[in-house]
């Protein structure tokens, strides 16, 4: 069985400040890791994914994440946030082969203020 | 190309009525997933289709929930005798072979049971 823990339910930050959203997972098998963003009243949009290879993954909108196998973490970072980054962010894990369902964390609400 | 579409976008029903939610995946995507998003529960997996068969139904919360997929394309999620606790946003996603299980989500159907 797999599980995902997002340690912060809400992260308030000022515009142009850096941000880190934390994600830890547990799994007995190799995994794929994902970050999705959900803007108000919209569906989920993929920000970035880790399948294999380089542990530093770059995504859309200036976000990046680093896979750390020893710490079973996949934290999301952005060096300078914008008001438009205000949204809910979900970390997810799936089995590392073929088709597999996604197991999501509870989500982190990023609140960017001027 | 077109993304995943879902209909209706909003559905209000009375307790005890049956509802049908529709998902149109991205053309060529053989895998289709249903998830439910509700306050306090986060995103929960419901059912997964590979083609027209459903190898994983483990997330369906009760026998009032069923789903089918025809022609390897459109899927319908049916909830019989709806209860207030069924109120949630129902999300559909699809993925294609070789994508590392990257799932593309539709905008969701918001179901409200009065």
């Amino acid at each position: 069985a797999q599980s995902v823990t997002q340690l912060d339910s809400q992260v308030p930050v000022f515009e142009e400040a850096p941000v880190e959203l934390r994600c830890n997972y547990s799994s007995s098998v190799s995994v794929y890791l994902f970050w999705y963003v959900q803007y108000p009243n919209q569906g989920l949009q993929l920000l970035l994914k880790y399948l294999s290879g380089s542990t530093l993954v770059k995504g859309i909108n200036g976000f990046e994440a680093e896979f750390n196998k020893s710490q079973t973490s996949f934290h999301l970072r952005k060096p300078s946030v914008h008001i438009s980054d205000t949204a809910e962010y979900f970390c997810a894990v799936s089995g590392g082969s073929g088709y597999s369902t996604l197991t999501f964390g509870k989500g982190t609400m990023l609140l960017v203020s001027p | 190309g077109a993304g995943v579409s879902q209909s209706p976008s909003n559905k209000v029903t009375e307790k005890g009525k049956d509802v049908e939610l529709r998902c149109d995946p991205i053309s060529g995507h053989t895998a289709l997933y249903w998830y439910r998003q509700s306050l306090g529960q986060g995103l929960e997996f419901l059912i997964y289709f590979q083609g027209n068969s459903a190898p994983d139904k483990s997330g369906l919360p009760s026998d009032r929930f069923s789903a089918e997929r025809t022609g390897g394309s459109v899927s319908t999620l049916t909830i019989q005798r709806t209860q207030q606790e069924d109120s949630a946003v129902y999300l559909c996603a699809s993925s294609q072979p070789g994508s590392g299980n990257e799932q593309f989500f539709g905008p969701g159907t918001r179901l409200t049971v009065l």
Side-chain angles (χ1 to χ4, degrees):
Chain A
Q2 298 158 342
S3 66
V4 177
T5 302
Q6 291 184 246
L7 296 166
D8 305 298
S9 59
Q10 197 167 291
V11 173
V13 65
F14 289 110
E15 194 175 20
E16 298 183 8
V19 70
E20 178 179 83
L21 306 183
R22 296 179 293 171
C23 172
N24 287 86
Y25 69 94
S26 67
S27 176
S28 58
V29 297
S30 62
V31 296
Y32 295 148
L33 293 157
F34 305 83
W35 276 97
Y36 283 86
V37 60
Q38 186 176 35
Y39 298 102
N41 299 313
Q42 294 188 28
L44 293 163
Q45 180 183 4
L46 181 71
L47 272 180
L48 49 79
K49 61 185 178 184
Y50 171 80
L51 305 182
S52 65
S54 173
T55 57
L56 183 63
V57 180
K58 294 190 182 296
I60 62 171
N61 300 342
F63 284 94
E64 64 180 32
E66 186 152 21
F67 170 57
N68 188 319
K69 188 174 181 179
S70 62
Q71 296 187 4
T72 60
S73 68
F74 191 55
H75 301 331
L76 181 70
R77 302 186 183 100
K78 186 170 182 177
S80 176
V81 295
H82 303 291
I83 298 284
S84 59
D85 292 324
T86 294
E88 187 140 30
Y89 292 79
F90 292 93
C91 182
V93 63
S94 75
S97 63
Y99 292 102
S100 178
T101 62
L102 289 172
T103 300
F104 286 90
K106 294 287 190 186
T108 297
M109 186 67 202
L110 177 63
L111 296 167
V112 183
S113 54
Chain B
V4 177
S5 61
Q6 293 185 247
S7 60
S9 56
N10 280 284
K11 176 72 177 178
V12 180
T13 190
E14 294 179 347
K15 178 181 173 181
K17 300 283 190 184
D18 298 351
V19 295
E20 284 189 352
L21 311 180
R22 176 188 167 109
C23 172
D24 228 311
I26 293 172
S27 177
H29 282 195
T30 56
L32 185 147
Y33 308 80
W34 284 98
Y35 296 86
R36 179 169 71 172
Q37 185 176 25
S38 52
L39 285 174
Q41 297 297 321
L43 278 150
E44 304 171 279
F45 163 74
L46 297 178
I47 187 170
Y48 150 57
F49 285 92
Q50 176 58 33
N52 291 336
S53 64
D56 190 349
K57 306 179 184 179
S58 63
L60 294 177
S62 75
D63 58 9
R64 295 186 296 104
F65 287 72
S66 63
E68 64 176 12
R69 188 179 186 195
T70 55
S73 182
V74 171
S75 175
T76 303
L77 177 69
T78 301
I79 309 173
Q80 295 178 309
R81 305 181 302 281
T82 51
Q83 304 294 313
Q84 288 183 333
E85 61 263 27
D86 299 334
S87 295
V89 176
Y90 290 82
L91 293 167
C92 176
S94 67
S95 68
Q96 65 180 357
S99 68
N101 198 33
E102 177 180 346
Q103 295 182 21
F104 294 81
F105 283 80
T109 294
R110 181 176 297 277
L111 175 66
T112 303
V113 182
L114 301 176

